[in-house]
Amino acid sequence: MSQAVPPQGGPTEKERKYDRQLRLWAASGQAALESSNILLVNSGPGTVGVETLKNLVLPGIGQFTIADDAVVEAADLGVNFFLDESSRGKPRAQCTTEYLMELNPEVSGEWYPKSPGKLDIQAVLSNASPYTIILYTLPLPAETIQVIEDYGRHHNIPLVAIRSVGFYGYFRVTLPGVFPVVDTHPDETATADLRLLTPWPELSQFAQELTKAMDDLDDHLHGHLPLVAILLHYLDIWKQNYDGSLPTAYADKIAFRNLVSEGMRKDNAEGGEENFEEAVGAVMKHVTAQSLPGSLREVFEYDNAKKTRSSFWIVAEAVSQFYQKHGQLPVTGGLPDMKAQSSVYIQLQNIYKKKARQDADEVLTIVQSLAGDLAVDRTEVEQFCKNARFIKLINSAQVAPKMEDIVANELSQDEIAAIAGPEMQSSLISLYLALSLTPNSFAPSAEEMQKAIFTHAPALQGHDRTKQITEEVARAAGGEIHNISAVLGAKDMDLPLTCNNLKCRAELSDRALVTTCSHIFCLECTNRFCLPGQDRQNRVPCPACDTQLASPDDAVISNLKPSEAYKTSILSGLSPSIIMECAGRALSFWAYQTTQNIYYQQYLYKTLTEKYATLSGRLEQTVGEANAQIETLQRKIGALTTDNDSARKKNEELSRAYKEKNRQLLQTQELHDKLRHTVEMGHIQRAATDAIDSRFQQQQPQQPSRHFVAHNTASFNNNAKPRPGSVGGFRGYGTAGDPERISEGGIRGGLIDTGGGGGPWRRDGSATGHVSNAPATFSRFGARGLLDGERGLGMGHAPNSAERRRHVEMGGPGKHMGGLSSGIKVSQPMSNSGLQETTGGGFMGLRNI
């Protein structure tokens, strides 16, 4: 109670690290854990003590101390995982402390004794910082145990004794006189305190504003009214109809529930409204008068003379005064989930939180008036107010039952177990006595343990199970098994009853409803099935077996943790036969519950096994299908790889063929260039001869010029007959005129129109050699001949870059070139001087084209 809760805010590094355990015991529990200082007094093999401490170091205790005077030997390495070969010959306390600190660097550790020798427990306990809990493993000398118990009583701290021998183990917790538990971590739905029967003005006003003209609301708003507003609205109607009385009786609650159900709209697609269904289900749980829980009443009525001056008792007194003044406990501020608009739910949540803060402030004011010089934190007050209904006061100072009574009860349990079969566990009283009655002996014999047991429990003489257990413990010779010690350090042996509603199975702690058909239900299921307070008109069968509960005593609320006074008086006055009959029926009830729980666990095991088998079959099928697909894909990959290799080979072959063709092309081109050079040289020689012949001819009187022009300037006519003495319809170099030049390819050299106007056979000048307006035969042969003549060759091919360049140099405006086999450019008549006349300033003469 004195531990402060860390300030709220964004998640820190520590909060992220301990996120899961914070969800379990909240920030207050973590703060108490981190402020703890634990002492472990280790003995024997020491495994169970170290394993227990490990389970406290991992969640983050503040600090720990190990007191162990043993030195690591070879036997320790086989049972203690916190030791290794390097630990041999070293103090066991030092080695285990160092390894434990590695598990959580935020935990600090210390070890004793610092020097070799016997452990001085008084020196360890004289530490300036008091320990908050002491763990000690048995066996220990009687003097050491007495010193530890005296320290626990003086400092009011818990003590935990642990022992592990072979396959058996036990632990015992010794609490101080009175040990309060404030944060018991109840279910969130159980902490909701809606105060529907006693609402405060702000809550009533909020509900009235929401439900004003409720019948006129549209379906969306009507279907999103929170259940608090709905129940408060119909409570007002109920009070108007019944003179201000409230539906507190069972029959009244049934009628009130029907009234709420009638307000639900059913003419929609869903056939109802979820918020009204929630309100109907909350009638039995929340439309109840708040009474003072028995555990809290025990705190309020505790003897003041035995109270210590601590913050817990001051806050408890303040809450008691608050309850006496208002007749009810402070509002917790919790609000369960419900169907509502988000904005409306937030407003309602703020109303409850505001009221909870107001009540906590009032309690804090009372605390400050009672505390005096003792500082009490506000967080501690708020936590007490929030958990007031669930606070527990563990009073270990009460008179413990006698050993004879415990043994008699356990032996009767053995008789029931013998009838029920192996499903029910036999009594463990012999094991407990065998381990607890020899706390000072490391490896007692079976005879020593039996003597101690029979001295404390004479009824066990001649008990076969006691003999078997003592022999098994003696066979272990004080040795520990690591797995058993690890389980003992982490497990709690308590097995509580559970609700028999299969959809609930909640653990039962304080109160529950029991039936004469040997079934038990939690209070929530009890209210849901309307089991308590049945009358003849509203009888409900048992939800587990459908047995008719005809009598009111067939289903009653039972206190699972009765007080000592209740235990004393409940059967007092009855005859021994009735007492034995009641006890027998109660034991039969417990045996039935235990058997049913075993059957339920077996059913779960069978169901889970079947699901596991089904899932395993599906997994195998899926794996088989996946493997088949993988094989198919692998085959496709292999085929694609083969195709790829084949394509690569074809590509290589084509590449080699291409290189070969390219080489042949280069050879052909080289040969072609050589031939062209040879032909051009011959043309040059003939051009020179032609020039000389032309000069001589011009000097002859009135000899016509040899121009290559069309015989007829009219459009070409395919049907026209060529002029006698010419070839292909041309004048000059005809067969009759000059057969020699025809044989040299003169006509094939091509013609050009020397006029500027474009005769019908005018050379187009394009690289394709096409002659517009020419016959098809000319386009096929004459155009190629023009190209050949332009290049000065007797074969047809496209001009190369050098030839085009010469064409540009020789061409120009008014200067059209025509190819003759002789290579002479004749575009204008020669002058008397023997030179060609030019137009536009250009010079044209003999030129190799």
Side-chain angles (χ1 to χ4, degrees), residues 366-381:
I366 302 175
V367 168
Q368 292 173 350
S369 64
L370 298 175
D373 57 349
L374 183 63
V376 180
D377 188 63
R378 176 186 176 85
T379 306
E380 186 176 354
V381 175

Side-chain angles (χ1 to χ4, degrees), residues 459-534:
L460 292 177
Q461 291 185 3
H463 192 242
D464 294 337
R465 182 170 174 79
T466 301
K467 181 180 179 181
Q468 294 174 359
I469 289 176
T470 54
E471 291 175 353
E472 179 65 20
V473 173
R475 187 174 67 87
E480 292 187 32
I481 301 175
H482 178 268
N483 294 341
I484 303 300
S485 299
V487 171
L488 185 61
K491 287 287 186 180
D492 186 7
M493 300 297 182
D494 194 14
L495 298 175
L497 293 173
T498 57
C499 178
N500 290 170
N501 181 15
L502 296 179
K503 295 182 179 180
C504 178
R505 300 297 298 176
E507 292 186 358
L508 305 176
S509 56
D510 292 337
R511 295 168 62 82
L513 182 135
V514 294
T515 65
T516 53
C517 54
S518 298
H519 290 108
I520 187 169
F521 303 94
C522 65
L523 295 183
E524 185 175 352
C525 293
T526 299
N527 294 329
R528 183 183 301 115
F529 296 124
C530 303
L531 292 175
Q534 298 184 79

Side-chain angles (χ1 to χ4, degrees), residues 68 132 146 207 330 360 368 428 514 599 680 730 760:
D68 188 357
T132 56
Q146 186 62 41
Q368 292 173 350
L428 298 177
V514 294
Y599 289 158
E680 286 180 352
F730 299 113

